Amino acid sequence: MPPKKSSEYNKGYIPINRKFFDHLFWKEKRTFSKSEAWLDLIAGARFEESQATELIGGRLVSWTKGQLPVSLRYLSERWMWSKSKVDGFLKLLEGERMVIRKEVNGQTILTLCNYSAYNQKGQQKGHLTNSDLEDSDEQRDSKKEIDGTATGQRQDKTNKVNKEKDVGINANTHTPIDESMFKAFTGWIQNHAVNVSKMKEPFTIDQYLQLRKKIPDRGKVQDLLLKMHNWQPLLKKNNSAYLTILNWSKNDFNNSTLKAGKDKTVVL
């Protein structure tokens, strides 16, 4: 079956706001149908034009718009399918020229063909009218999707203060990929920088997503986490893993004398 032309997608569509995928109905534990699995891949693919780079399994892996890192194990657990069924489904998508599978540094990167056709500019303003699925105005959601962020701030007084302090980041939507990357991030900490995981305030997924924006260099993040782990007074003098790594990123810790005070908020 030949792939559809992009023009064919312009003839009509049902706009679905990205917040739909954070709703309890979608998150309900269940066996996915093939159509749900395909929609899940579309929702999980990177929306931003910029390249994302993450440390996965001890290796740096990069992907860009319309792509997402996947594993048979993760999709099997998420969709409640066997690994062989997941592999067969991905082969089916490849055969229909809907996706392209490629190994990068030992990680499978899935490229969704015609991804831009599913995410046209005209669609970004669409939203569900069901009040149970959409509780904010169109303008805010459009801005969130145009910016390509799943962690858009609510425009209320509390959130404004949090944003200024860079504490208590309010992420209302976490994509499956965000959750998968956060799991890999905390897993790496457990294996390589366990003292960081023992801090009174370990990383939250919201802080992790913000950290990716503030310190895009994954190698630097890894280096800072290792230095935090090896610094003996860490657990006595510092409480927040997130605020500590931001503070340390602004200082030169390559000399022999380390001076770490109380946790401070640092806006990079």
Side-chain angles (χ1 to χ4, degrees):
M1 179 185 295
K4 292 184 178 181
K5 298 179 180 179
S6 298
S7 59
E8 295 183 45
Y9 291 94
N10 297 333
K11 296 180 180 180
Y13 56 83
I14 300 174
I16 300 179
N17 190 282
R18 291 179 183 276
K19 287 186 66 179
F20 169 81
F21 299 100
D22 194 47
H23 192 268
L24 293 177
F25 291 169
W26 180 259
K27 287 188 171 183
E28 179 184 16
K29 194 69 174 179
R30 68 195 185 281
T31 300
F32 277 50
S33 65
K34 288 186 177 66
S35 60
E36 288 175 308
W38 173 238
L39 187 57
D40 196 43
L41 292 177
I42 295 174
R46 184 167 177 79
F47 181 80
E48 297 90 335
E49 296 282 356
S50 59
Q51 177 176 279
T53 301
E54 286 294 338
L55 188 67
I56 304 177
R59 300 177 180 178
L60 288 176
V61 180
S62 300
W63 66 98
T64 187
K65 184 174 182 178
Q67 298 181 324
L68 68 159
V70 298
S71 71
L72 295 182
R73 178 179 178 182
Y74 171 74
L75 294 179
S76 173
E77 293 176 353
R78 178 169 178 79
W79 297 343
M80 296 184 67
W81 292 3
S82 66
K83 291 183 181 179
S84 60
K85 183 175 179 179
V86 173
D87 186 53
F89 178 63
L90 295 181
K91 288 179 179 178
L92 173 63
L93 295 180
E94 289 180 292
E96 294 295 323
R97 287 184 282 177
M98 297 168 70
V99 303
I100 297 173
R101 255 196 293 189
K102 184 178 181 181
E103 292 292 320
V104 179
N105 279 348
Q107 175 66 44
T108 300
I109 299 297
L110 208 62
T111 300
L112 274 61
C113 304
N114 290 323
Y115 176 78
S116 59
Y118 293 101
N119 293 270
Q120 298 174 26
K121 293 182 178 180
Q123 296 178 3
Q124 294 171 0
K125 295 183 179 180
H127 66 283
L128 296 176
T129 57
N130 188 330
S131 60
D132 290 332
L133 302 182
E134 179 54 64
D135 58 2
S136 59
D137 60 274
E138 180 178 333
Q139 181 179 4
R140 191 195 72 208
D141 285 329
S142 295
K143 183 179 184 300
K144 284 171 59 179
E145 296 199 64
I146 292 173
D147 290 341
T149 174
T151 57
Q153 300 287 337
R154 288 186 179 276
Q155 298 176 353
D156 55 30
K157 182 177 180 180
T158 301
N159 217 38
K160 181 178 180 181
V161 172
N162 286 341
K163 185 176 180 180
E164 292 175 348
K165 291 184 177 181
D166 205 14
V167 183
I169 301 156
N170 184 16
N172 297 305
T173 303
H174 304 138
T175 68
I177 298 304
D178 290 334
E179 295 172 355
S180 177
M181 295 301 97
F182 178 63
K183 183 178 180 180
F185 174 72
T186 54
W188 186 92
I189 291 176
Q190 286 285 352
N191 291 328
H192 302 280
V194 66
N195 285 335
V196 177
S197 68
K198 294 179 180 179
M199 297 180 72
K200 292 181 180 179
E201 299 175 18
F203 287 100
T204 66
I205 187 171
D206 300 332
Q207 292 170 342
Y208 164 69
L209 294 174
Q210 192 70 2
L211 181 65
R212 289 172 54 184
K213 297 178 182 179
K214 291 184 175 297
I215 312 179
D217 185 342
R218 298 300 97 190
K220 181 177 181 180
V221 171
Q222 180 181 1
D223 182 59
L224 288 170
L225 289 172
L226 290 174
K227 289 178 179 178
M228 288 167 60
H229 165 73
N230 292 321
W231 192 59
Q232 293 184 354
L234 177 70
L235 299 180
K236 293 182 179 180
K237 292 192 174 184
N238 298 78
N239 294 323
S240 169
Y242 175 67
L243 296 181
T244 299
I245 195 171
L246 291 186
N247 186 28
W248 283 38
S249 70
K250 295 291 290 183
N251 294 277
D252 180 10
F253 288 91
N254 293 321
N255 52 48
S256 59
T257 303
L258 301 181
K259 296 181 180 179
K262 296 181 179 179
D263 298 331
K264 296 188 296 184
T265 299
V266 179
V267 180
L268 302 181

